[in-house]
């Protein structure tokens, strides 16, 4: 800081963090290069020919599976976006570029463009599923969901307009159960 030096462990961590970021960019670029070269391999071409032969044998005219296509498009799009963001951070980490940036520009690039670790992003979906399940298990929602699963339906609104249909007394569950 301005008045005190960084602790030794923090200075070491900042240097290691920078090297890990550059290493992750290098590995991401290698992964992108390999992903682009994979369809050019001879074994992949034989696999595509085998798929086409199987499609003809099964008399399929159209083998378009929209779910698979969308999943692949999302994977490729997020990969390109992540590599682009990682490239911005990696270029800003180079000593020649970092020395020419002001502190405000450097912190903006490092903290605004920096993506959280991949394990954090990978945990978001399972965590949201668990939180949603926990919310549905609360007594106010869980009991109503159990009634719906057993076949309960909300009473219809009366034609005369007397009750609102939200009666305080509940009707018994289906008598067939």
């Amino acid at each position: 800081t301005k008045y005190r030096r960084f602790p030794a462990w923090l200075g070491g961590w900042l240097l290691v963090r920078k090297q890990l970021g550059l290493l992750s960019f290098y590995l991401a670029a290698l992964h992108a290069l390999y992903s682009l070269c994979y369809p050019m391999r001879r074994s992949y071409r034989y696999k595509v020919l085998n798929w086409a032969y199987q499609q003809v044998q099964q008399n399929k005219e159209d083998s378009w599976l929209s779910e698979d296509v969308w999943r692949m498009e999302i994977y490729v799009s997020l990969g390109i976006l992540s590599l682009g963001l990682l490239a911005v951070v990696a270029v800003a980490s180079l000593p020649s570029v970092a020395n020419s940036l002001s502190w405000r520009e450097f912190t903006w690039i490092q903290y605004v463009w920096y993506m959280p670790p991949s394990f954090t992003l990978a945990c978001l979906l399972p965590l949201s599923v668990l939180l949603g399940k926990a919310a549905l298990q609360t007594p106010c929602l869980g009991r109503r969901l159990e009634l719906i699963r057993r076949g309960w339906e909300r009473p219809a609104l009366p034609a005369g307009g007397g009750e609102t249909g939200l009666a305080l007394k509940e009707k018994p569950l289906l008598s067939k159960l």
Side-chain angles (χ1 to χ4, degrees), residues 125-138 141-142 145 149:
L125 179 63
L127 183 64
S128 62
V129 168
L130 290 175
L131 289 175
K133 184 155 179 73
L136 293 176
Q137 294 297 324
T138 57
L141 292 176
L145 285 175
R149 285 188 195 116

Side-chain angles (χ1 to χ4, degrees), residues 17-60:
R17 181 176 171 254
K18 179 179 177 181
Q19 295 305 318
L20 285 175
L22 291 174
L23 180 66
S24 69
F25 172 70
Y26 174 70
L27 292 175
L30 279 180
H31 176 71
L33 183 66
Y34 178 75
S35 296
L36 290 174
C37 293
Y38 183 68
M40 292 183 246
R41 293 178 46 202
R42 181 176 288 224
S43 62
Y44 185 77
R45 285 182 286 185
Y46 284 128
K47 190 184 289 187
V48 170
L49 286 173
N50 190 25
W51 288 337
Y53 178 75
Q54 288 175 356
Q55 182 179 343
V56 169
Q57 290 297 323
Q58 294 172 359
N59 241 358
K60 285 186 181 177

Side-chain angles (χ1 to χ4, degrees), residues 63-164:
S63 63
W64 180 275
L65 299 173
S66 61
E67 181 180 317
D68 291 342
V69 172
W70 277 106
R71 184 175 0 150
M72 203 58 185
E73 290 294 323
I74 289 172
Y75 289 158
V76 170
S77 300
L78 288 177
I80 291 170
L81 180 68
S82 299
L83 185 62
L85 291 174
L86 198 54
V88 170
V89 174
V91 167
S93 296
L94 295 174
S96 60
V97 176
N99 291 337
S100 67
L101 294 174
S102 69
W103 178 251
R104 180 176 283 172
E105 293 167 339
F106 181 75
T107 54
W108 183 81
I109 290 173
Q110 291 294 324
Y111 295 109
V112 172
W113 287 84
Y114 178 70
M115 294 291 287
S118 61
F119 68 87
T120 306
L121 293 175
C123 290
L124 287 178
L125 179 63
L127 183 64
S128 62
V129 168
L130 290 175
L131 289 175
K133 184 155 179 73
L136 293 176
Q137 294 297 324
T138 57
C140 60
L141 292 176
R143 186 166 182 273
R144 179 160 302 233
L145 285 175
E146 188 61 34
L147 289 173
I148 292 171
R149 285 188 195 116
R150 291 182 182 177
W152 177 82
E153 293 181 11
R154 181 177 285 189
L157 291 174
E163 293 183 21
T164 61

